[in-house]
Amino acid sequence: MAEHDNEHLGTGTRLVGVGRRAAWTGTADHPGAVVNPPVYRASTHLYPDMAALRAHPANEDGKFYYGRRGAPTQWALAEALTALEPGAEGTVLYPSGVAAIMGALLTVLRPGDVLLMIDNAYEPSRAMGRGLLRDFGIETRWFDPADVDGFAAAICERTKAVLLESPGSLTMEVCDVPALSAAAKARGVTVVLDNTWASPVGFPALKRGADIAIMSLTKHVGGHSDAMMGSASAGPEWCKRLRVRAQGLGNVVSPDDAALMLRGLRTMGLRLAQETASALAVAEWLETRPEIAKVLCPMLPGSPGHAFWARDFSGGCGLLSFVLKGGTSAARDALIDALALFGIGYSWGGFESLATPVDPAPIRTASAWPLPGLDADDRFGVRLSIGLEDAGDLIADLEQALRVWSAAA
Ligand SMILES: *Cc1c(COP(=O)(O)O)cnc(C)c1O
């Protein structure tokens, strides 16, 4: 299934071409008749005769079998994501990003195993460690994203997987994925990486050391805040096991949502490039403001782990955070309420800008927050998802909201 012969092409060219098999976008007498695969709404798949049913094909994408295994709409999306991830042999789709993370962890881990989780992980990932995984006899231990030696020392006989997220989607630290992966692999520990922030367009996760690359397609791939889905891409060692476990858990994605994801994917490169440029403009402007203690944006020199971003990434995105200099929680609420061009909501990667409060201190257990160098009073954070509005308008909006904050702080 994998199309590994596209790596010499540019990102835009690959995003336009991936997954568009002529057999899935036409008929036997007119292959490739339409641009996009039709939306196959199908629970039952029919067999022409008993011989065909008896010879039902192997458990893989690309063969009609039964609705839970998908049809060309879902196969085209999975194939497109595989083709975008260098080193991937296959991709499994899940109904959400959370389902993809849990699906991968439940593929790798068994009762009695230990999972090492990076301390900047997205809170629902942390909740898996405290909740479902613990209930099934799997122990989670957290580690400092900046401490590779500490991570290596924390690996024990029972450690079977590590969950990385880089940058962390709240605090934006970039970690040394190649070094952490090398330390994990030297001890036979499987590396699961949540690559939602960069996507394979900005960070080739498997090439940098991950065994399983996860994305919440809800964010950049969908890009329009109207559908949810997740994916896990992996090489030959893991992709079949991921598929079997996902099927055992009954994961399916609708053909309508798969078609929305394919539509979003075609413009993802353009959106990411624009959002990255606007986010950097916003970050550089924020850095000049007296109200701001720290700007957390991987593309910005001085942001935690920026050197790893510069070394390992070829792109960014619109998600960044900043920490206010002192103030109160109520003043931060007033700032967010004063923003006219930013919606208030827990997501990102859509065409529209969003703002949410960020309070990492209570959820971190293995590393310092506020970051070293910040005052203890500098703890009220705001996360921005920069969309496709003009950066100048977003900056003007932030400027008037910071005046409201100053009056309230
Ligand atoms: C949103 C998000 C997820 C979960 O994705 P859903 O599709 O909302 O379930 C996972 N990881 C990160 C970093 C996210 O931001």
Side-chain angles (χ1 to χ4, degrees):
M1 299 276 298
E3 296 174 16
H4 293 309
D5 55 353
N6 68 358
E7 281 177 48
H8 62 287
L9 297 171
T11 301
T13 313
R14 295 165 73 208
L15 286 168
V16 167
V18 289
R20 286 173 52 194
R21 271 202 210 189
W24 296 341
T25 55
T27 56
D29 64 345
H30 192 157
V34 296
V35 175
N36 298 291
V39 175
Y40 280 79
R41 291 208 184 88
S43 54
T44 304
H45 294 181
L46 296 173
Y47 298 82
D49 52 31
M50 279 308 298
L53 183 141
R54 295 278 180 227
H56 75 76
N59 174 17
E60 59 186 34
D61 283 348
K63 300 280 166 31
F64 285 99
Y65 175 71
Y66 175 64
R68 217 183 303 112
R69 304 254 172 106
T73 328
Q74 293 96 332
W75 303 338
L77 175 60
E79 180 162 295
L81 295 171
T82 301
L84 290 171
E85 184 71 60
E89 169 101 358
T91 295
V92 179
L93 301 174
Y94 299 82
S96 69
V98 160
I101 296 168
M102 186 51 95
L105 294 176
L106 289 180
T107 303
V108 177
L109 295 163
R110 297 288 176 275
D113 289 349
V114 170
L115 166 68
L116 290 175
M117 190 182 297
I118 197 158
D119 206 28
N120 62 8
Y122 162 75
E123 166 54 25
S125 295
R126 298 184 68 103
M128 294 175 198
R130 295 192 306 266
L132 193 148
L133 293 175
R134 196 203 51 193
D135 292 349
F136 285 79
I138 296 158
E139 186 185 338
T140 301
R141 298 174 186 164
W142 281 269
F143 66 92
D144 182 342
D147 185 2
V148 176
D149 294 338
F151 166 76
I155 296 173
C156 69
E157 289 285 285
R158 290 164 53 216
T159 310
K160 291 293 165 0
V162 52
L163 179 64
L164 302 177
E165 186 179 315
S166 182
S169 56
L170 292 178
T171 45
M172 309 295 151
E173 310 102 309
V174 185
C175 68
D176 190 343
V177 171
L180 291 165
S181 298
K185 285 186 169 153
R187 303 280 300 276
V189 174
T190 299
V191 180
V192 181
L193 179 101
D194 183 338
N195 195 31
T196 303
W197 188 89
S199 90
V201 167
F203 186 76
L206 301 183
K207 252 192 171 161
R208 297 278 183 268
D211 295 295
I212 300 173
I214 307 278
M215 251 197 302
S216 166
L217 307 181
T218 309
K219 313 292 167 51
H220 300 313
V221 174
H224 293 73
S225 307
D226 53 5
M228 304 193 78
M229 204 176 289
S231 66
S233 300
E237 189 188 355
W238 285 106
C239 72
K240 286 207 172 57
R241 283 186 268 181
L242 286 167
R243 179 188 308 287
V244 168
R245 182 53 42 105
Q247 288 169 352
L249 290 167
N251 287 309
V252 289
V253 306
S254 85
D256 303 75
D257 289 345
L260 285 173
M261 291 300 165
L262 277 167
R263 169 181 285 224
L265 188 73
R266 305 301 174 196
T267 58
M268 182 170 76
L270 273 177
R271 286 184 284 105
L272 283 172
Q274 182 60 49
E275 288 162 12
T276 302
S278 295
L280 191 55
V282 168
E284 285 169 345
W285 177 81
L286 285 168
E287 224 179 12
T288 67
R289 298 296 308 194
E291 302 91 341
I292 308 297
K294 184 80 184 165
V295 182
L296 303 165
C297 173
M299 297 87 78
L300 191 71
S303 191
H306 169 76
F308 299 131
W309 182 82
R311 185 191 67 188
D312 297 338
F313 288 62
S314 59
C317 78
L319 193 72
L320 68 129
S321 295
F322 62 87
V323 181
L324 290 153
K325 206 172 269 177
T328 61
S329 180
R332 177 183 54 187
D333 287 359
L335 185 164
I336 294 174
D337 279 338
L339 290 166
L341 298 179
F342 292 77
I344 303 173
Y346 287 116
S347 192
W348 48 284
F351 61 84
E352 83 295 5
S353 291
L354 296 172
T356 42
V358 171
D359 291 304
I363 63 170
R364 287 173 87 106
T365 50
S367 54
W369 191 270
L371 290 165
L374 287 193
D375 218 78
D377 292 339
D378 301 338
R379 58 196 171 93
F380 297 108
V382 176
R383 187 178 78 170
L384 301 177
S385 175
I386 300 298
L388 298 176
E389 303 89 345
D390 294 280
D393 293 332
L394 296 176
I395 288 171
D397 195 28
L398 285 161
E399 185 164 23
Q400 62 80 23
L402 283 173
R403 280 200 297 274
V404 171
W405 177 83
S406 294

